[in-house]
Amino acid sequence: MVTSRELGKTRLPLWAAGFIVLICVEILGLSAWREWEARNADLRTAEIDVTNLAHSLIQHADDTFELADTILVGLVHRLEIDGTGPDAIAKLQAYLPTRKSSDRIRGIFIYDATGGWLATTEHVDFSKLNNSDRDYFRHHRDSPATGTLIGPPVKSKAGGQWIITVSRRINDSDGGFAGVALLTIDVSYFVKFYERFDFGPNGSASLLNNSGTMLARSRDERGAFVGRDLSNAPLFRSWKSRPPGAVYYFRSPIDGMDRLSYYQRSSRYPLMVLASKSQDDVLASWRRAATTRMTFVLGLVVLIALIGSYLVRQLVQRQRMAQALVAKEANFRLLAEQSSDMVTRIGLDNRVLYVSPSCARITGWSAEELLGTSALAGIHADDMERVRQAITALRNGEAEEARFVYRQHHRDKGEIWAEAALHVTLASDSGAIDGVVAVVRDMTEQKDLQDKLASLATTDGLTGLANRRAFDERLADEWARARRDGTQLSLLLIDVDHFKKFNDHYGHLAGDACLRALGRILSTYARRPADLAARYGGEEFAVLLPNTGPDGCAEVGEGIRQALLDLAMLHAQNPPSRLVTASVGGAAALPSQTTMDCSTLVAAADRALYAAKDSGRDRLVMSGQVVPWPAKSA
């Protein structure tokens, strides 16, 4: 009949093999997860790059067309006042070159009501030229609107190159159509400007109008993409539901590449820019590094599998040898001699009668040195009474076993943590208790791990401050202590202003850095041993100030707010300062003079925080009424 012990030994190799397989699978899984995170990190970095590029490009486009618009407004105003007579046109012809002072402007043209050329900055014979067939001319002729029109790209009649037209209607004194003032911008001007930026080997920058027509594109010196209609692309089909600017992943209808991009619409003109990078370019370095790392991991997994297979075979062989040895030996040595734990037999006088060889590893002393000494020697003074009581209870028959953790002196390591399991022993002839058997193991590493896990359970991983759980526990304790001692208790709630906009604008990495910076400020101001700075949730923080009244609370809160402002972290979405700021709500209470609990203090500070936000943010507001407060506070 197979015993449970023999059955366990039979299953051990299977468990060992399963454990090795599990380790290999976990290594592969963790490596795959790490590589995926590394890939996403590269993509997020590229998103930030194209976002910054798009913002620069749309600013450039806005400045360019604002210059053109300003010139046209001046010309039209002059023509509508002076008229289009020969003298006025002659003066205008001499004046036009002075307006073409920027390399952004290709040419300036004035047409009469029939499309004939009246004046231009181009050195061509325009006496027989007519532009009445142009779309912009027809638009101004048929529409009374006097606003500036940015037209689709066309080829210039004067030079033959691709140009973008910017035009305005000229009215006569009666408000009738008198002609068109036109300003042109070379498409190549934008192409050359985009060449200054690094978009990667296959990246690009595009300028389009809101109808989806390509106005200019980098890497397009011959104008192959100019004028292309992209209105059927997914970006423009869902145009109305999209925000003015956002990260956008798409497959390019022009070259078929998968692209990572950021589009930004102009707030002043019907234009948008699209800064993009090829996903293959962005992920190229990651793919090379990931291939190398995964090759190494696969090699490591194969090595672990081979070593594990060898160890399982050795385990099977050892089990067979052990079983054979058990079968041959009628009397075998005490299990304690083979155990990694220290096995000790203690007499009724607390003297050590027997100790296993593992004592050298656990205590640093040999078995010969420990025999005959007191079993309580080396136990920490703070734990001595508890251990003595447990041994006494066992010796008196009040309990059959006991288990406890205590501190033990080690010969070389100093102080260690140990776990002892104690059982009584009975005399074979009388059955009376004649001693205690103690099995002791070193628990130092496990105790350190428990302490670390306990710390992690109460610490915020991003900022290093206390987390919400630790804050709630401390708040309840400090409220009870303040009620017992008759002292004051204050609370500050701090919230970063427009933090979601900050994250959307600068990215989550910048958002994390911002929260860590605020966490460092809070750690500085929560300087007393009893003070507690905690991350309350998201971008909201809390500072608990025991034995502090309203004045002290306000002083600390204002210091925190000013310290964050002094960091001068840019926050373009937080007017008027355009810096990262925080709203602070404070409240103070005398718990001994109220029957309410600590949630009242949190609610009061929260109301003050919302009052600070409603008052314009970047300010401290102290709660007007928390709990009954004496006329004169300490």
Side-chain angles (χ1 to χ4, degrees), residues 415-438:
E415 188 178 274
I416 65 169
W417 283 93
E419 181 186 50
L422 280 65
H423 298 265
V424 296
T425 60
L426 305 177
S428 58
D429 54 347
S430 64
I433 297 174
D434 63 354
V436 174
V437 172

Side-chain angles (χ1 to χ4, degrees), residues 65-306:
F65 286 99
E66 184 179 35
L67 173 63
D69 194 14
T70 301
I71 294 173
L72 286 178
V73 168
L75 289 174
V76 170
H77 179 71
R78 179 170 182 164
L79 286 166
E80 288 180 347
I81 292 177
D82 298 342
T84 56
D87 292 339
I89 293 300
K91 291 180 181 179
L92 183 62
Q93 181 64 51
Y95 169 75
L96 286 182
T98 65
R99 304 306 296 158
K100 188 185 171 185
S101 58
S102 172
D103 59 351
R104 303 186 186 195
I105 309 304
R106 171 68 185 184
I108 304 173
F109 305 84
I110 307 297
Y111 308 117
D112 61 19
T114 64
W117 294 35
L118 293 177
T120 180
T121 56
E122 298 293 324
H123 300 290
V124 296
D125 181 11
F126 54 85
S127 59
K128 297 181 180 180
L129 296 178
N130 189 284
N131 278 43
S132 60
D133 59 332
R134 293 296 200 187
D135 290 339
Y136 59 82
F137 187 91
R138 296 173 181 172
H139 171 85
H140 290 303
R141 181 187 61 194
D142 300 333
S143 172
T146 59
T148 299
L149 173 67
I150 300 175
V154 296
K155 284 199 173 184
S156 171
K157 289 185 177 181
Q161 69 280 351
W162 282 103
I163 57 173
I164 301 172
T165 61
V166 186
S167 58
R168 290 180 72 94
R169 173 187 171 110
I170 304 172
N171 289 333
D172 56 23
S173 59
D174 297 326
F177 178 67
V180 172
L182 174 72
L183 186 147
T184 63
I185 303 171
D186 268 354
V187 169
S188 61
Y189 166 74
F190 290 102
V191 175
K192 291 178 180 178
F193 180 78
Y194 295 160
E195 288 175 355
R196 303 178 185 176
F197 299 89
D198 182 16
F199 296 92
N202 297 294
S204 66
S206 301
L207 177 65
L208 306 97
N209 61 25
N210 286 353
S211 300
T213 301
M214 180 73 73
L215 301 181
R217 186 177 188 270
S218 61
R219 305 179 188 276
D220 186 25
E221 296 178 354
R222 298 184 179 181
F225 303 110
V226 177
R228 183 169 295 191
D229 184 6
L230 301 177
S231 58
N232 288 326
L235 176 62
F236 290 93
R237 286 203 301 268
S238 57
W239 189 247
K240 294 182 179 179
S241 63
R242 292 184 178 275
V247 173
Y248 179 57
Y249 285 78
F250 70 103
R251 173 162 290 182
S252 173
I254 294 177
D255 53 23
M257 287 187 178
D258 290 326
R259 294 186 173 276
L260 179 160
S261 69
Y262 189 92
Y263 71 86
Q264 180 65 55
R265 279 186 279 180
S266 170
S267 59
R268 291 180 283 175
Y269 301 101
L271 302 168
M272 67 161 284
V273 295
L274 184 70
S276 68
K277 291 187 176 184
S278 167
Q279 290 191 48
D280 288 338
D281 293 344
V282 172
L283 298 176
S285 61
W286 167 79
R287 288 194 178 101
R288 289 192 297 269
T291 300
T292 301
R293 289 192 293 263
M294 289 306 294
T295 301
F296 173 80
V297 169
L298 289 174
L300 178 62
V301 168
V302 170
L303 180 61
I304 292 174
L306 292 175

Side-chain angles (χ1 to χ4, degrees), residues 408-462:
Q408 169 73 44
H409 179 69
H410 189 281
R411 187 178 205 171
D412 303 318
K413 299 178 182 178
E415 188 178 274
I416 65 169
W417 283 93
E419 181 186 50
L422 280 65
H423 298 265
V424 296
T425 60
L426 305 177
S428 58
D429 54 347
S430 64
I433 297 174
D434 63 354
V436 174
V437 172
V439 180
V440 180
R441 63 176 54 184
D442 189 346
M443 293 291 293
T444 304
E445 291 183 3
Q446 293 90 325
K447 191 67 169 60
D448 290 343
L449 180 59
Q450 290 173 1
D451 293 341
K452 290 179 181 178
L453 291 176
S455 176
L456 289 174
T458 58
T459 303
D460 176 61
L462 177 64

